[in-house]
Amino acid sequence: MSALMLSVTSFIAGVKSRLTSEEKGATMVEYGLMVSLIAVVVIAALLILGPAIAGLFTTVAGRI
């Protein structure tokens, strides 16, 4: 009976270690997706607002 308990316990420990290691990989993928989404938003904002900001600086520089 103790050999069976040892086998079941080791099996559960192995499954637990595999599940926790896979969660770390999934978390890294989620962080990567969030960083890439933020980068896309920043690039889009720069493309949209870039000319307006450049015009503003040109106007300020011309008045100085």
Side-chain angles (χ1 to χ4, degrees), residues 17-33:
S17 69
R18 278 185 267 148
L19 287 176
T20 56
S21 67
E22 289 177 12
E23 286 182 17
K24 290 180 183 176
T27 303
M28 291 184 67
V29 169
E30 291 168 358
Y31 283 136
L33 289 172

Side-chain angles (χ1 to χ4, degrees), residues 2 4-6 9 12-14 17-18 20 24-25 28-29 35 38 40 43 46 48-49 51-52 55 58 62:
S2 64
L4 176 64
M5 288 293 275
L6 181 63
T9 304
I12 291 172
S17 69
R18 278 185 267 148
T20 56
K24 290 180 183 176
M28 291 184 67
V29 169
V35 167
I38 291 169
V40 167
I43 290 171
L46 287 175
I48 293 170
L49 298 175
T58 303

